[in-house]
Each structure stands twice: as structure tokens, then as C-alpha cells.
Amino acid sequence: MITKQLICPKSIVVVGASNNVHKPGGAILRNLIEGSFKGELRAVNPKEKEVLGVACFASVADVPPTDLAVLAIPANLCPEAVEILASQKETRAFIILSAGFGEETHEGALLENRILETVNQYGASLIGPNCIGLLNTCHHSVFTQPIPNLNPQGVDLISSSGATAVFIMESALVKGLQFNSAWSVGNAKQIGVEDVLQYMDENFDPDRDSRIKLLYMESIKDPDRLLLHASSLIEKGCRIAAIKAGSSESGSRAASSHTGAMASPDSAVEALFRKAGIVRCYSREELTTVGCVFTLPELKGRNFAIVTHAGGPGVMLTDALCKGGLNVPKLEGPKLDELKEKLLPGASVANPIDVLATGTPEHLDIAIDYCEKEFENIDAIMAIFGTPGLVTMFDMYEMLHQKIKHCRKPLFPVLPSIHTAGKEVEQFLAKGHVNFSDEVTLGTALSRIMNAPRPAGNKVELYGVDVPAIRRIIDSIPHDGYIAPHFVQALLHAAGISVVDEFVSGNKEEVLAFARRASFPVVAKVVGPVHKSDVGGVTLNIKGEQHLALEFERMMRLPDATAVMVQPMLKGTELFIGAKYEEKFGHVVLCGLGGIFVEVLKDVSSGLAPLSYEEAYSMIHSLRAYKIIQGTRGQKGVNEDKFAEIIVRLSTLLRFATEIKEMDINPLLATEKSVIAVDARIRIKK
């Protein structure tokens, strides 16, 4: 529950206030005073009459009615203070900085529960305990430094960790990134990351509120709520980036399938972020860099021009952009020759455009003008300009300031000399700009942003999927565990997924008869053992009956063998699709190259069922091996549309067969015309 008294209180009391600003109770009161809080400030400390110039009371029982209470007292004293304030002083918002609660001991958890019961009884908000507080344009109720520049159009930061929130703000300050609010939810006993996001979504005002949200999460308690409100905010015009740190113990548990071995809570997070449209980051530097990119005009294309006075950074930025699937196209034509004539002798203009270390602000002006107005295949411009310490950069950065103000294309300033040209960079940032001091981090951030899909929602693609048949098959399966091959085939057929002809039998003559009808060569696989390849239970390219008979006899002697499956021998690129049910998240669908590559390379991408076609294509495109799927080095690519269709159909099957807990289709054999399932396993639990 987030109350108006938490967001914009008219009065605040700091319980445990101190004249020592090196203690939380002193530091938070100092920050409130220096933040020019416009309401009434009060303090509680039995040893003081006044704290930092603020009237001080001996006990919470003595304070007048107060909207918000910030507690910086020992954990065992907090429940009683909250009870008095809520019941007698009409306090409807609490920020508890104190540690020593559920994060440490069972007794601490009991204290936390008492506090939660009280605040819920009186309809009050609770941030924490074990947090650094809440910072917004109304009040600076945090005990930490730094306090960033606050701006209603700055970013909203929501963090599970107080220390990490501080470090994120530190990282943002040197980039010029401004904040609207910073929430440290701590133990999140009442208000967690999902709750803050829900509040921001349900109360979103497009004319007043920040459109940029940065999240740091150590757990996702309610994936459905996170998905709902994150995707809703993005559809309203917001942009969200997040770090999800840590993994649960379940991520390392043994699993019996390829998918089970690779799927983890982290792949579920990846899938959730993909569906919501959240840009996933892996470090504070990435997160704040993405936040800075979000402050600039939205990119409309993937082609970048790099204007620099130093060759090395231009090359490294080119590498980072291309590695992320973005382009630094070669510039050609008469206009390029014209540009070269206007720069210093020796300048390079092919892209990156190197105006040389002796280039002037006028040369920068000219190069950016040509990228903006003359080169139509350029969507955005990067300007890399530092200093070797021989000259000041005030004029250069003033020129860059003017170009950013008027350029029709997004213009990214990369100013690496934050020490040598510190004053110049500081003056540049003071004009409201951001700075990307590291070009590779910028290139990585841009690739994450450009490759993040739009929110997909939960629409189920039903076309061609026989839902009644799926339910009949599932209901007819007699027991839990891995199901018989004929059930697998029936489910795939009901989902509209093409399956290779196969025959299963423990009778050698029946197997030989099918092989004659199907025509040699064929493939034989043992039925029974879970990992067929590990026990020698797969033989390819069997060209005659005698060979097949020998393989049948050998396989039937393998441990746990119950029958032999025989299929026509097909050719194509091996692909993989699998799925695993993750508690709270639902079915996570994985795809990648198939056969042994899925285990050796572990190059898989994940999505959360049900999947849209856009999500399926995004999954395919994010694979490191995507060039193989496209076709490379003279080899033909595979039918990407069919691959995406099977991913979507599989996700629909899972939506109506929640009993499926693990599933592999490995391999799918793909050509430029078709994609067909060759081997599949399904484990159910009713």
C-alpha cells in the first residue's frame, strides 16, 4: 500500500535523530534539511532538546500528529514506536532504516510481522526495514550520499538493495543522469519492487511523471504482476531497464532432460523480461548507460556514424556495435568526397569519420552536419572527443552542445577525458546533457536496447492447434513421468507440429517391415533409457536389413530397453526446442541449435509461454548461432518462419497442457523449405 503521506508528506519525524551526521539518524535529518523539505520536521531523541536545529521530543508519544515517520532505532524498539505513531499520531507512512529483522534471525522476523500487522491495520505504508530510505522531489528521506540532481523528468530507480542503489546513483552522477525518485525497498515486508511499479503504472500521468524506470532486483516475488505493470508502463510510453541479480538453489538441481539441465530461474527471468519489453542489464554501468540512452530521442534505425578525433575508440565502438547486431555502414559517393575536402589532410571519412587530433570545433560541426543532412543511410551519430591535455575543450563541447540541441538525428556524446577535461565535461553536463565516457559500454547498451522486443502480452495463438484433442490425449495418459512415444507423437500432431514418420516395437520383424516400407537408410533409437546417446542407443544411416537387425538385437540388450524406434534418415540443420515449467513463472520455452550443440555450446534463448510470433523471432535472432540459421559460407539457411511457427505452436500446446513439466524436441531437422521434429520427449505430472 503506497499512501500520499509516503510520496509527499506534510510532516516528517525522524525517530532516533542525532546531531552526529555520521549516524543514520543524523545523516537523514541533514539530507531532509538540505533538501529543503517544505513541511514540518520533527525529531525524537530522549537525550536532546534540539537536533540540527530541529525541535526534538523525548518520545514518539510526545510528537504532534505526523504524516511520515523515519525510524533509525534498534529493531526491538520499532514495533512499539510504530504502534504508538499509527494509533495515536495518525502516521500513515513509515520508513524503517534499522537492520536486525527477518534478514538476520527468526526473532527479527517476528518483530517484522508485528510491524506489518500494525501498518496494515491502519492503512499505512511501510518501506523497509533494512533500507536506505526513499528519495524524491518532495523529500530526501535517505541517510546516504550522494544526493543526485532531482528532476521530475529524471529516472525512477527502484532497488532491492540500499547499497546498490547508492552505487547506481554514483555511476549515474558522472554521466549526468538525473533522477525523479530512488526507492530502496530493503526487506520489502510490505512494499517491494512490484508494488512500486504497480503504483507508478496505476497512477501514471504522462504530463508529469518520469518515463524512465531503472530496476535492481534480487528476487521476483510476483512475476505476473511485474509483467503486467512493466508492459503496461512501456505501452504508455515508458522505458524500463533492469538488473536481476542472484539465482535460487533450484537453478543447480539435477534434471533429466536437455531443457531441464539448461533451464533455470535465470532463463525464466530472461523470458519474463523479453515478454515485458524490459531491457536486461548485467552491471551498474550498463544500467546507468541504458538509462542515459533512454533520455535521448528514440532510435529509428540500426545504422550509426562515428565522428572522432582518435582512431582507436572509433574502432572499438564499431566492434561493439557490430557485435550487438548494429551497423556502422561504409560511407560512399560524391558527398563523401566533398566532406573529405572540408577536413584536414589525412582525415578518414569512410566511417568512422576521423577528423584527426588537430581537428577543430568547426571540423566537428561539418562532419556532424554531413551525417545528419547528406547521408540518408545514417540513423544516429556518435561523437567521440577527449583531450590529450594540450588544449581545453570548452569550445569543442560548446559546439557539441549546439549540435545536440538542433540535430534531427540522435547524437551520442562520448567524452572520455573526465579527469583531464573534468571542468569542460562538468560544464557540458550542467547544460542538461549526458555523457558516455566509455564507448564499448555504450555500444553494448545500445545493442541491448535495440534487440529488446516490444511488450508481447499474453495472447494465445490458436490457429491450427487442436485444443480439445490435446486435452483428450493428456487426460488419457495413465501415469506421471516420461510418456510413451505414441502419446508424444499425438500431442505434436494436435499442436500442428510436423513429425517424422516413426515406428516403435519390441518385435524385430515388425521393425524390419516398417523400414522396408519407409525405404533405407533409416535411424534406429532405443526406447526406455532417457539419454539414448549416452548408452549407445542411437544408430544413424542404417542402409540395409541385416545391419538393422543387428542394431535391434544390440539395443534390446541395453539396460532399461523396452523397444526400438525406427525412422527414415533425413538431412538438414539440427535445431532444438524445449520447455520447462518454472514455479511462479510458468513454462519457459528454449530454442537453439540442436543435436550435441545444445549441450556443448549452450547457445539457447528463452521465452515465456504463451509466445507471440514477434517473441519467437526475437528468440531466434538473439542466438549467437543465428548466422547458421540464416545461412553462412555458402550453406543454405533454414526456414526461419517455420522454426518460429513451431516455437509458437509449442507454447500454445503448453498453455493448454500445464501438466507438461519438461519437454525436448531435439533435433528438429531444418532445411530452406521445412522444419520437422525427429525426436521428442515429454515428462508430465498431473
Side-chain angles (χ1 to χ4, degrees):
M1 176 182 294
I2 296 178
T3 59
K4 64 181 181 180
Q5 290 91 340
L6 178 65
I7 301 298
C8 196
K10 294 180 180 178
S11 52
I12 300 175
V13 59
V14 177
V15 183
S18 172
N19 282 305
N20 184 349
V21 296
H22 299 293
K23 292 183 176 181
I28 201 161
L29 191 56
R30 174 203 60 199
N31 287 344
L32 284 164
I33 294 167
E34 293 180 354
S36 301
F37 174 62
K38 293 181 173 56
E40 291 285 331
L41 273 179
R42 292 143 191 167
V44 172
N45 186 324
K47 299 178 181 179
E48 305 287 352
K49 296 295 183 182
E50 186 177 277
V51 178
L52 301 179
V54 174
C56 187
F57 299 87
S59 164
V60 291
D62 301 329
V63 301
T66 305
D67 283 350
L68 166 64
V70 182
L71 276 60
I73 55 178
N76 64 312
L77 302 179
C78 288
E80 183 181 1
V82 170
E83 172 65 36
I84 293 171
L85 288 163
S87 63
Q88 300 176 25
K89 307 300 176 180
E90 301 175 13
T91 304
R92 295 297 176 261
F94 294 88
I95 297 173
I96 301 181
L97 310 179
S98 319
F101 288 93
E103 79 281 0
E104 289 190 7
T105 63
H106 174 68
E107 291 74 16
L110 295 176
L111 295 175
E112 220 170 14
N113 289 335
R114 282 179 57 194
I115 292 169
L116 181 64
E117 288 176 8
T118 301
V119 295
N120 285 344
Q121 178 184 349
Y122 290 95
S125 296
L126 171 63
I127 294 288
N130 187 28
C131 69
I132 64 165
L134 168 62
L135 170 74
N136 64 22
T137 54
C138 177
H139 62 106
H140 300 180
S141 293
V142 293
F143 67 85
T144 54
Q145 297 280 358
I147 303 295
N149 291 330
L150 292 170
N151 180 336
Q153 296 307 309
V155 304
D156 290 315
L157 170 65
I158 314 168
S159 176
S160 298
S161 161
T164 304
V166 173
F167 301 151
I168 289 170
M169 287 189 280
E170 290 265 14
S171 171
L173 279 176
V174 297
K175 297 180 178 69
L177 185 62
Q178 299 184 10
F179 286 76
N180 175 55
S181 68
W183 300 67
S184 160
V185 299
N187 291 4
K189 190 62 181 179
Q190 185 201 57
I191 297 172
V193 173
E194 295 95 333
D195 300 284
V196 179
L197 211 59
Q198 178 176 348
Y199 176 84
M200 290 178 175
D201 178 29
E202 293 177 346
N203 296 275
F204 182 70
D205 182 340
D207 298 321
R208 184 194 67 205
D209 293 345
S210 167
R211 293 177 179 267
I212 302 172
K213 319 293 179 188
L214 303 182
L215 315 179
Y216 172 82
M217 294 177 287
E218 292 177 352
S219 65
I220 299 177
K221 295 181 179 178
D222 193 337
D224 286 342
R225 198 146 57 100
L226 180 67
L227 172 62
L228 172 65
H229 296 294
S231 56
S232 174
L233 280 164
I234 293 170
E235 292 291 1
K236 291 172 181 174
C238 293
R239 310 182 79 182
I240 302 177
I243 296 172
K244 166 59 179 71
S247 59
S248 70
E249 293 178 3
S250 59
S252 61
R253 65 178 178 266
S256 57
S257 68
H258 296 295
T259 306
M262 289 180 301
S264 68
D266 193 63
S267 53
V269 170
E270 188 78 25
L272 176 66
F273 283 12
R274 185 189 303 279
K275 184 174 283 293
I278 296 171
V279 177
R280 188 172 190 186
C281 300
Y282 294 88
S283 70
R284 300 188 307 273
E285 284 300 304
E286 271 190 20
L287 186 69
T288 54
T289 301
V290 168
C292 288
V293 173
F294 283 166
T295 68
L296 300 178
E298 190 168 355
L299 287 163
K300 303 299 182 184
R302 305 172 79 88
N303 294 333
F304 294 84
I306 300 171
V307 181
T308 181
H309 69 147
V315 173
M316 288 191 288
L317 179 52
T318 300
D319 290 344
L321 291 169
C322 294
K323 184 179 178 181
L326 308 179
N327 308 314
V328 182
K330 184 178 180 180
L331 300 175
E332 298 176 305
K335 289 293 180 181
L336 195 67
D337 298 331
E338 191 178 290
L339 171 61
K340 190 172 179 64
E341 287 296 318
K342 295 183 179 182
L343 301 179
L344 293 173
S348 171
V349 294
N351 199 15
I353 298 169
D354 187 349
V355 301
L356 303 181
T358 49
T360 66
E362 289 71 27
H363 293 130
L364 170 65
D365 182 20
I366 292 167
I368 291 175
D369 261 358
Y370 269 76
C371 292
E372 178 192 1
K373 299 170 183 175
E374 306 297 346
F375 303 137
E376 293 183 1
N377 64 329
I378 295 301
D379 302 304
I381 307 159
M382 320 293 217
I384 307 176
F385 275 86
T387 174
L390 300 175
V391 295
T392 64
M393 301 297 289
F394 290 108
D395 291 342
M396 186 69 79
Y397 293 170
E398 174 60 25
M399 175 64 74
L400 193 54
H401 162 65
Q402 295 297 331
K403 301 309 292 184
I404 291 172
K405 279 175 61 178
H406 301 294
C407 189
R408 291 179 292 106
K409 296 177 181 178
L411 178 53
F412 297 83
V414 182
L415 315 181
S417 302
I418 56 176
H419 297 295
T420 312
K423 291 182 180 178
E424 295 97 311
V425 172
E426 185 178 335
Q427 187 180 91
F428 178 80
L429 297 180
K431 294 173 182 176
H433 300 301
V434 293
N435 173 35
F436 305 95
S437 61
D438 184 82
E439 60 280 351
V440 174
T441 305
L442 171 59
T444 302
L446 282 167
S447 66
R448 297 206 190 286
I449 292 167
M450 295 299 289
N451 292 324
R454 293 289 303 169
N458 276 306
K459 180 184 177 183
V460 181
E461 300 281 353
L462 287 174
Y463 179 75
V465 177
D466 190 341
V467 175
I470 289 170
R471 288 311 316 162
R472 285 196 301 272
I473 296 162
I474 290 290
D475 293 340
S476 68
I477 296 172
H479 53 76
D480 291 351
Y482 280 97
I483 63 177
H486 68 278
F487 286 125
V488 175
Q489 284 235 337
L491 284 170
L492 295 180
H493 279 303
I497 297 173
S498 298
V499 182
V500 66
D501 287 340
E502 66 181 34
F503 181 75
V504 178
S505 177
N507 183 292
K508 181 169 65 175
E509 292 306 319
E510 290 179 351
V511 168
L512 291 171
F514 174 81
R516 284 192 292 269
R517 293 195 302 274
S519 298
F520 288 95
V522 296
V523 178
K525 304 175 185 179
V526 68
V527 175
V530 173
H531 294 292
K532 304 178 183 69
S533 298
D534 293 349
V535 296
V538 178
T539 303
L540 306 177
N541 203 27
I542 299 173
K543 296 181 178 179
E545 292 188 29
Q546 185 176 3
H547 186 187
L548 177 58
L550 290 172
E551 288 299 328
F552 178 91
E553 292 166 1
R554 181 185 66 81
M555 289 182 184
M556 289 300 291
R557 291 194 295 270
L558 293 173
D560 301 322
T562 59
V564 171
M565 176 193 296
V566 63
Q567 301 169 327
M569 180 75 185
L570 302 178
K571 292 183 178 180
T573 300
E574 292 188 347
L575 304 175
F576 157 82
I577 301 177
K580 185 171 184 297
Y581 186 83
E582 279 291 338
E583 199 65 38
K584 296 195 296 186
F585 288 84
H587 282 104
V588 180
V589 179
L590 284 78
C591 74
L593 288 184
I596 62 170
F597 293 107
V598 70
E599 292 182 352
V600 174
L601 300 180
K602 291 183 168 49
D603 176 24
V604 297
S605 60
S606 57
L608 202 61
L611 292 164
S612 66
Y613 277 91
E614 183 182 3
E615 287 177 280
Y617 284 115
S618 173
M619 290 168 63
I620 295 168
H621 295 167
S622 68
L623 292 167
R624 296 193 302 274
Y626 178 56
K627 288 185 178 179
I628 295 174
I629 292 171
Q630 285 181 301
T632 185
R633 292 184 176 270
Q635 292 186 339
K636 292 181 178 179
V638 308
N639 192 319
E640 188 178 320
D641 294 335
K642 281 289 184 184
F643 191 22
E645 179 187 328
I646 292 175
I647 293 171
V648 172
R649 288 179 179 276
L650 176 66
S651 79
T652 304
L653 164 64
L654 297 167
R655 171 65 179 79
F656 294 101
T658 55
E659 296 88 345
I660 295 176
K661 302 308 176 189
E662 287 185 35
M663 179 174 186
D664 287 329
I665 306 179
N666 183 27
L668 291 131
L669 284 178
T671 66
E672 59 183 326
K673 294 182 178 179
S674 66
V675 180
I676 188 167
V678 173
D679 197 3
R681 288 176 300 171
I682 296 175
R683 181 175 68 83
I684 70 165
K685 184 177 181 181
K686 294 188 178 183

